[in-house]
Amino acid sequence: MDEQTLIRLLVDLHRDGARQGPGSADETRRALDLARLDRGARLRVADIGCGTGASTLVLADRLPRARITAVDRFPGFLEILAERAHAAGVARRIETRAESMESLSFAAGSLDLAWSEGAIYNIGFARGLEAWRPFLRPGGVLAVSEITWLRPGPPAEIRRHWEGEYPEIATAAEKVAILERAGFDLLGYFVLPPSSWIDNYYRPAEKRMPAFLERHAGRPEAVEIVEMERREAELYRRYQDWFSYGFYVARRR
Ligand code: SAH
């Protein structure tokens, strides 16, 4: 399947979801607490790979004077984010920006907080840290969720899956060492619970699949995507003791 078709179909499957990756409002708030920022300050915040804004809206609610730039590659997601921000009464403080996380246009040292849930894997953890660090002021905070092995020695099937999909998957100890080498000090770490994956991501996506297949009836690419996502959900259900998203909150040195 060509890249354009894949992207168009993936956006169509996921744009009506409350979120485009595993997570929850509670986990976003929990990570924000670990950031130990002055919540009443006029913070400058970026939500990178924001999708339709699940975390952006929580941040806007919890940081009442913050200005948030919500960045995603796909304008289709940002349009929905803008509508949701409007409905929540926070549109004035949220700017959307369609650009790639590989070439963000923030000024050096201009951010107090760089947020990214379920998205840094698109550029890679180590590369993302290096690329985004300059946008933070010294003392500014990075909060990212990243695929993490929960224990060493995963079974061959899931190890092979992740070696193919995202070879940067590693244990939290290894991820923290990468953060420290990249010029960050860890403020906190926790693991996203299964409900963030199943109740908030896979089950809602599975509910949207029949209508998605109907919209794209006769297109083998749509069937292919549904099969791919079902397989991914199945792997998670089977191997959830072995991997999850780790949430890493760290301060720029
Ligand atoms: N943070 C959201 C979305 C996670 S899904 C949530 O938790 O719900 C990953 C997001 O990264 C998608 O919205 C996708 O469009 C975006 N993305 C993928 N590659 C990107 C890139 N190169 N630059 C910017 N955004 C990208």
Side-chain angles (χ1 to χ4, degrees):
M1 170 175 356
D2 68 275
E3 171 101 5
Q4 279 307 95
T5 309
L6 175 71
I7 286 171
R8 203 155 354 98
L9 289 170
L10 279 176
V11 170
D12 184 64
L13 176 60
H14 288 290
R15 56 180 279 147
D16 297 332
R19 55 188 324 121
Q20 286 70 42
S24 79
D26 280 348
E27 308 309 320
T28 299
R29 287 189 281 264
R30 186 171 170 197
L32 187 59
D33 288 345
L34 293 175
R36 287 189 261 144
L37 291 162
D38 175 0
R39 295 223 311 250
R42 292 182 186 279
L43 299 170
R44 298 152 303 167
V45 179
D47 189 354
I48 304 166
C50 58
T52 61
S55 55
T56 321
L57 295 175
V58 174
L59 295 174
D61 176 60
R62 289 294 251 207
L63 305 170
R65 298 178 77 203
R67 299 209 155 265
I68 306 176
T69 306
V71 182
D72 202 276
R73 195 170 143 199
F74 300 121
F77 287 156
L78 295 174
E79 280 161 27
I80 292 173
L81 190 159
E83 284 165 21
R84 293 171 78 186
H86 189 78
V90 293
R92 207 174 34 81
R93 294 189 290 113
I94 297 178
E95 180 205 338
T96 61
R97 220 182 262 184
E99 63 185 24
S100 172
M101 60 175 73
E102 305 190 29
S103 50
L104 296 169
S105 58
F106 296 104
S110 67
L111 295 175
D112 299 294
L113 178 61
W115 203 269
S116 185
E117 293 196 26
I120 195 171
Y121 73 88
N122 286 292
I123 172 172
F125 187 70
R127 243 185 96 207
L129 300 183
E130 191 190 342
W132 303 347
R133 183 178 181 272
F135 304 131
L136 284 166
R137 65 166 167 83
V141 174
L142 174 83
V144 297
S145 62
E146 161 76 346
I147 285 289
T148 299
W149 290 126
L150 302 182
R151 351 159 27 181
E157 183 184 25
I158 194 63
R159 187 167 38 77
R160 273 200 299 272
H161 169 77
W162 281 115
E163 274 166 9
E165 290 294 315
Y166 188 58
E168 270 191 70
I169 186 170
T171 62
E174 291 166 309
K175 294 284 173 189
V176 170
I178 293 169
L179 270 166
E180 289 173 344
R181 280 200 299 276
F184 292 91
D185 299 321
L186 189 71
L187 292 171
Y189 164 77
F190 63 90
V191 176
L192 287 193
S195 58
S196 285
W197 292 76
I198 293 172
D199 305 338
N200 295 355
Y201 182 59
Y202 286 131
R203 203 173 300 128
E206 283 159 357
K207 282 209 184 107
R208 294 192 301 274
M209 284 172 183
F212 170 79
L213 288 171
E214 228 165 84
R215 280 200 298 282
H216 303 284
R219 299 195 65 180
E221 297 96 330
V223 177
E224 209 182 301
I225 282 178
V226 162
E227 278 170 2
M228 189 177 82
E229 301 231 338
R230 286 203 173 123
R231 177 174 143 74
E232 197 194 289
E234 157 70 17
L235 280 175
Y236 177 74
R237 286 183 169 102
R238 197 149 11 119
Y239 292 109
Q240 56 184 277
D241 291 345
W242 293 92
F243 71 93
S244 186
Y245 272 107
F247 220 130
Y248 299 83
V249 183
R251 185 184 281 144
R252 180 189 160 162
R253 227 170 269 145

